[in-house]
Amino acid sequence: MTAHTGATPAQSLLSVRDLIVEIPTRRGVLRPVDGVSFEIQAGEILGVVGESGAGKSITGAAIIRLLERPARIAGGSVHLAGRRIDTLDSDSLRRVRGGQIGTVFQDPSTSLDPLQRIGDQLAETARLHLGVSRSNARERALQALIDVGIPGAAERLDAYPHEFSGGMRQRVVIALALIGEPDLVIADEPTTALDVSVQAQVLGLLKNLCRERGTGVMLITHDMGVIAETTDRVAVLYAGRVAEVGPTPAVLTDAAHPYTRGLMASTPNPIPGDKHQRRLQQIPGSMPGLLSVPTGCAFHPRCEHTMAICSQRRPPSVPVRSSDVGCWLHSEVPET
Amino acid sequence: MIAYIIRRVLQGSVVLAVVGFIAFAMFRFMGNPIENMLGQEATRLDRAALAERLGLNDPVPVQYVKFLGKAVQGDFGVSYRNGVPVAEMIVQRLPATLELAFVSAVLAVFFGIVLGVFTAIRRDGVLANIVMSTSLIGVSLPTFLIGVLLIWVFAVELGWLPSFGRGETANLFGWESGLVTASGLKSMILPAITLGLYQMTLVMRLVRSEMLEVLRTDYIRFARARGLSDRAVNFGHALKNTLVPVITIIGMQVGQIAAFAIVTETVFQWPGVGLLFINSIQFVDIPVMAAYLLLVGVLFVTINLIVDLLYAVVDPRLRVT
Amino acid sequence: MSKIATKATDVADGVAGTSMDTVELTPGIAARLGSIWSSDIVWSFRHSPVTIVAALVFTSLLLAAVFAPWISPYTPFDPASLNLMDGFTPPMSTGMGSGAMYWLGTDDQGRDVFSTILYGMRLSLFIGIAAVAFAAVVGVTLGLIAGYTGGWVDALIMRIADIQLTFPSIMVALLIFGIARGLTPPELRDQMAIWVLILSIGLSEWVQFARTVRGSAMVEVKKDYVQAARLLGRKPHHILRKHILPNVLGPVSVIATIYLALAIITEATLSFLGVGAPPTSPSLGTLISIGQDYLFSGEWWILLFPSLTLLALALSVNLLGDWLRDALNPKLQ
């Protein structure tokens, strides 16, 4: 199944296998994440894209087990650098969080403790994961602020979050995510809440810092432009399942899954430098709610290539050109 | 910051002026002060003289200003019931009420916060759920019933603690204190629990719901995502963020203690100003009622002012503006 | 109480969010109630055993109070039917004088405790419900006026509300009671006591109704259908009654439930303090106050049974209020 990454879980930085997240409600058990698998290699930037409700953020939260109750991991496995982390006890899990996996949330205005100086928040995290002394932690905090390009970093250590602008605050959040020297950063829509003018700066900063340090990134977004600019590979999620995962240029220009093709056709100029004016199209219908996920392939009611099998069996993930695709168009229909 | 304080002080003054006007209106227009002070057999001349002396012939606004002026100097007139200056009665009884309210407030705020934090952190714990269920009974139990039941158990059945009065008091620099004698302390226990319990339950439920809300915020999730321990998250980040918004309401709860002291003092025959006020209502002793109203007005405005200032001190977001 | 206040306002915002598209589409009260009793609420009721028990307890207490004259075995406030020799009969015993059976015993005057509780509860519930209804009428009216008119009228009403909120409601009730008592002629004081109680408790609780309704009214007034009704030349009172009032009934019912418990407790407290219901027509608070006098001499039943009744009443209403508030405000769960 993992033909193109060519790596076993032991070799990948992050390996997510058949991950299932369930939310019990009184109308039944919802599955916002339903059998998601993907890999991230060391230093690689993986984009995770999909409509809202496709399960992107919940997948990210499930990896560091930060699901909000009553959501829970109901199946699958998560390996980080060959070690299984979805079954860790809470002490070991805490060392993974912040130490091996840094996190950047969507909204910087709510990510920082409003009553604590940012220098203290940085130093607290540094001491926890690097085991450094109090004064050393403060130096690290200062360096972290300088690294993310906060002007006058030395004075700003003693500032409170509300004294920063949105873009500056997200830089502080990135500094907090990176200060524990993690191998992987999960960034959940890191620029969505920012002004358009600073989105590119913050994204560029995140990309450059991770490239310099060889940190892998799981970049969750709904913005195809961000995917095209930033990522090495991209996973397309639909209704809690991976529709297609492959190298970014291949997915953008030559998608194998009908949903991905529809997504590209509905996005204006996702490919940088592509001056070719296209007519925008839209996919008929909308993504199903979690209470009414169609049988078989979740996309089949909206798909223009629907076959009989599509409504009966879930398609397996198979290698197509340089990607892995979950679609009956590309696999052999079993005889039954 | 300065502007903020000035605005707060001005708002407080407006409240006090309104309260003062109500007190004045009661004092001036309810019943007939002259009848009340002279009785039936006074002559017309006596009445006219007293009316002149009391300033009842002045225009009403002048009377109001004079009334406020006297009140500021501590002159609240004379009780209709026993002819003693009201200020004297209040000064004599104030220490009892203040000591009771203070001890109860400390109990209520301390245990309220501790239990609120505990029930929020151990949200699904058995003990926390027991505490929460008990607290609902606590909220539904009127203060006076708590007092009566405590008397029944600890004074009547067990005979451990006194059921009424302050016990012995000692004079500390002109302050009659019940907190320095053994019998005074023993007498304090039941009334203080009675008065504090209801407020403690409210503080606890308030702290719990606020803390649960804080624990759901992004910065708490982010703190967990940074790998902080439960302890660091709960006590390093969540607790402070919980307490800042509840300071206001806890402050008001402390104010409520002064109000409910009326009830507790009646149950335990505690010789404080609350008991004085209840008696004044029963006997329609208007000068005492008016004075008590002013006293409480000053108390509440002061508490609100302190709370507002405290808020500005602990919340850096307010400090800048 | 102010936390309850903010919660109630949240509810108000939630419920008032439903909008109407056309002027003709006037929502009936029944339809409005229908939307309040949506499946979510019924579901949360069915799945909360505590709430079901509370509803059962409250319903039986309410029925017992309403039918007190038919249920109670004795007529405790008719001096002719009392036998002083029956005084202080313990529970489950027969009286020394008449030989009649008293399940919950008798008090000092030989009045059957069970019967006095039924009548006392009847009075407590009547005062509580009437006071909340009065508070709701005053609060909703002032809130509608403030929210609809705006300007200095709004500012004045809300400033009064703010000042009153500075003081605890029981103190406001005591004060209004004292003033009203001062204004009633002495010979009428006992007779008027119950109405004075309703007035003072009602006036001490109007603020929250007014604040909530004002908030909803301000939201509704800005909506197109109200503006259209205005342009069509509808009179303000018509717009308020037909369009805005139905939108605020949901939150008002939550506040009313929560405040009913508060009103019952306030009434009991005032009566206990001796400034409420007179001893000739005692409420639960008066009965408890009488019972306290006999604690030291060992007649515990005179105190215990009225206390338990008051607790059951206040607790069941509080539980129902809590449930209603949570059910209408999923954010809190």
Side-chain angles (χ1 to χ4, degrees), chain A residues 125-157:
Chain A
T125 320
R127 288 180 63 198
L128 194 66
H129 295 295
L130 306 176
V132 295
S133 70
R134 205 172 278 270
S135 59
N136 194 328
R138 199 166 163 85
E139 280 166 32
R140 297 248 182 185
L142 177 62
Q143 189 55 47
L145 282 192
I146 295 171
D147 289 347
V148 294
I150 304 268
E155 298 91 72
R156 302 296 267 165
L157 270 179

Side-chain angles (χ1 to χ4, degrees), chain B residues 145-219:
Chain B
L145 202 49
I146 296 172
V148 170
L149 296 180
L150 285 177
I151 289 179
W152 186 11
V153 174
F154 292 99
V156 178
E157 296 298 326
L158 298 172
W160 290 352
L161 296 165
S163 66
F164 67 91
R166 283 183 85 188
E168 285 168 35
T169 56
N171 196 312
L172 279 184
F173 314 109
W175 176 281
E176 281 294 327
S177 175
L179 294 177
V180 287
T181 66
S183 86
L185 285 174
K186 262 179 115 176
S187 305
M188 176 65 84
I189 297 176
L190 291 185
I193 293 177
T194 304
L195 186 51
L197 202 60
Y198 182 74
Q199 308 302 326
M200 184 201 85
T201 348
L202 287 182
V203 170
M204 176 193 116
R205 291 167 72 87
L206 179 69
V207 168
R208 174 180 180 270
S209 72
E210 189 64 40
M211 183 134 179
L212 285 177
E213 217 135 285
V214 167
L215 287 175
R216 268 199 296 265
T217 56
D218 266 3
Y219 56 84

Side-chain angles (χ1 to χ4, degrees), chain A residues 94-302:
Chain A
R94 274 201 296 276
R95 282 193 287 277
V96 170
R97 290 177 181 166
Q100 287 181 276
I101 303 181
T103 313
V104 178
F105 282 176
Q106 175 172 352
D107 187 354
S109 64
T110 57
S111 297
L112 299 167
D113 183 339
L115 299 182
Q116 206 180 42
R117 297 171 201 277
I118 57 150
D120 294 341
Q121 299 189 40
L122 283 160
E124 181 184 33
T125 320
R127 288 180 63 198
L128 194 66
H129 295 295
L130 306 176
V132 295
S133 70
R134 205 172 278 270
S135 59
N136 194 328
R138 199 166 163 85
E139 280 166 32
R140 297 248 182 185
L142 177 62
Q143 189 55 47
L145 282 192
I146 295 171
D147 289 347
V148 294
I150 304 268
E155 298 91 72
R156 302 296 267 165
L157 270 179
D158 287 327
Y160 287 96
H162 71 272
E163 297 172 65
F164 290 84
S165 69
M168 284 298 148
R169 233 179 277 175
Q170 194 66 313
R171 287 170 189 258
V172 173
V173 172
I174 291 172
L176 271 165
L178 292 174
I179 199 168
E181 299 177 351
D183 308 315
L184 175 72
V185 169
I186 299 177
D188 187 354
E189 307 262 10
T191 56
T192 310
L194 300 181
D195 283 351
V196 181
S197 55
V198 296
Q199 282 186 358
Q201 290 175 20
V202 170
L203 207 61
L205 173 79
L206 181 68
K207 182 177 173 177
N208 292 337
L209 283 175
C210 291
R211 285 269 190 260
E212 281 167 24
R213 300 166 189 212
T215 311
V217 179
M218 174 177 169
L219 179 65
I220 297 166
T221 180
H222 61 269
D223 186 336
M224 292 309 272
V226 168
I227 293 286
E229 293 271 349
T230 322
T231 63
D232 303 317
R233 290 197 312 131
V234 59
V236 180
L237 260 57
Y238 184 82
R241 303 164 191 186
V242 178
E244 178 164 9
V245 52
T248 305
V251 173
L252 289 186
T253 53
D254 188 19
H257 195 288
Y259 174 65
T260 319
R261 281 205 294 266
L263 203 60
M264 293 308 142
S266 64
T267 312
N269 292 329
I271 304 137
D274 177 10
K275 294 283 179 280
H276 181 64
Q277 285 295 318
R278 296 169 306 143
R279 195 184 160 82
L280 289 185
Q281 289 160 1
Q282 68 174 63
I283 314 172
S286 58
M287 201 173 67
L290 289 174
L291 281 168
S292 51
V293 180
T295 54
C297 170
F299 186 61
H300 83 260
R302 300 172 70 189

Side-chain angles (χ1 to χ4, degrees), chain B:
Chain B
M1 184 71 193
I2 305 273
Y4 173 79
I5 296 174
I6 293 174
R7 203 165 59 236
R8 285 314 195 178
V9 171
L10 280 180
Q11 281 172 3
S13 315
V14 172
V15 173
L16 277 186
V18 172
V19 170
F21 183 76
I22 297 173
F24 163 73
M26 284 168 60
F27 193 76
R28 176 65 185 80
F29 299 110
M30 274 173 57
N32 185 336
I34 296 176
E35 293 289 337
N36 275 306
M37 292 170 83
L38 289 182
Q40 300 294 319
E41 58 276 2
T43 63
R44 269 190 61 214
L45 218 61
D46 286 343
R47 286 161 198 261
L50 185 64
E52 189 56 41
R53 196 155 54 84
L54 291 176
L56 296 182
N57 301 332
D58 294 342
V60 172
V62 175
Q63 290 187 38
Y64 174 49
V65 172
K66 279 188 180 169
F67 172 84
L68 284 187
K70 279 185 179 174
V72 169
Q73 295 163 32
D75 178 0
F76 300 104
V78 172
S79 160
Y80 290 168
R81 192 171 155 225
N82 52 17
V84 177
V86 177
E88 217 170 275
M89 296 166 78
I90 287 181
V91 166
Q92 193 200 346
R93 283 160 166 263
L94 205 52
T97 299
L98 289 180
E99 284 185 356
L100 176 60
F102 176 75
V103 174
S104 310
V106 170
L107 286 180
V109 172
F110 178 76
F111 287 105
I113 291 177
V114 168
L115 286 174
V117 169
F118 169 75
T119 49
I121 295 174
R122 298 252 176 282
R123 194 184 164 170
D124 296 317
V126 177
L127 196 57
N129 274 315
I130 293 174
V131 172
M132 277 310 287
S133 315
T134 321
S135 82
L136 197 62
I137 300 178
V139 174
S140 304
L141 263 179
T143 305
F144 72 89
L145 202 49
I146 296 172
V148 170
L149 296 180
L150 285 177
I151 289 179
W152 186 11
V153 174
F154 292 99
V156 178
E157 296 298 326
L158 298 172
W160 290 352
L161 296 165
S163 66
F164 67 91
R166 283 183 85 188
E168 285 168 35
T169 56
N171 196 312
L172 279 184
F173 314 109
W175 176 281
E176 281 294 327
S177 175
L179 294 177
V180 287
T181 66
S183 86
L185 285 174
K186 262 179 115 176
S187 305
M188 176 65 84
I189 297 176
L190 291 185
I193 293 177
T194 304
L195 186 51
L197 202 60
Y198 182 74
Q199 308 302 326
M200 184 201 85
T201 348
L202 287 182
V203 170
M204 176 193 116
R205 291 167 72 87
L206 179 69
V207 168
R208 174 180 180 270
S209 72
E210 189 64 40
M211 183 134 179
L212 285 177
E213 217 135 285
V214 167
L215 287 175
R216 268 199 296 265
T217 56
D218 266 3
Y219 56 84
I220 293 300
R221 282 190 80 211
F222 189 58
R224 291 193 198 286
R226 285 190 278 141
L228 300 193
S229 64
D230 284 350
R231 202 187 157 81
V233 169
N234 290 334
F235 296 103
H237 294 275
L239 184 60
K240 198 172 177 199
N241 278 288
T242 301
L243 292 185
V244 165
V246 300
I247 282 177
T248 324
I249 300 164
I250 288 181
M252 288 186 180
Q253 293 303 329
V254 171
Q256 296 250 359
I257 283 181
F260 283 102
I262 299 170
V263 179
T264 311
E265 289 180 7
T266 310
V267 175
F268 290 92
Q269 290 301 303
W270 189 265
V273 282
L275 198 56
L276 189 69
F277 178 57
I278 280 296
N279 291 336
S280 75
I281 291 182
Q282 277 159 347
F283 295 102
V284 198
D285 192 348
I286 289 157
V288 178
M289 281 165 68
Y292 184 79
L293 178 63
L294 278 176
L295 187 72
V296 168
V298 171
L299 178 75
F300 278 99
V301 168
T302 315
I303 288 178
N304 279 353
L305 199 61
I306 293 174
V307 164
D308 282 338
L309 295 182
L310 210 57
Y311 204 88
V313 170
V314 290
D315 194 333
R317 283 163 294 189
L318 276 176
R319 231 178 285 158
V320 203
T321 46

Side-chain angles (χ1 to χ4, degrees), chain A residues 26-27, chain C residues 40 43:
Chain A
R26 61 174 202 255
R27 293 201 183 91
Chain C
D40 278 8
W43 189 91

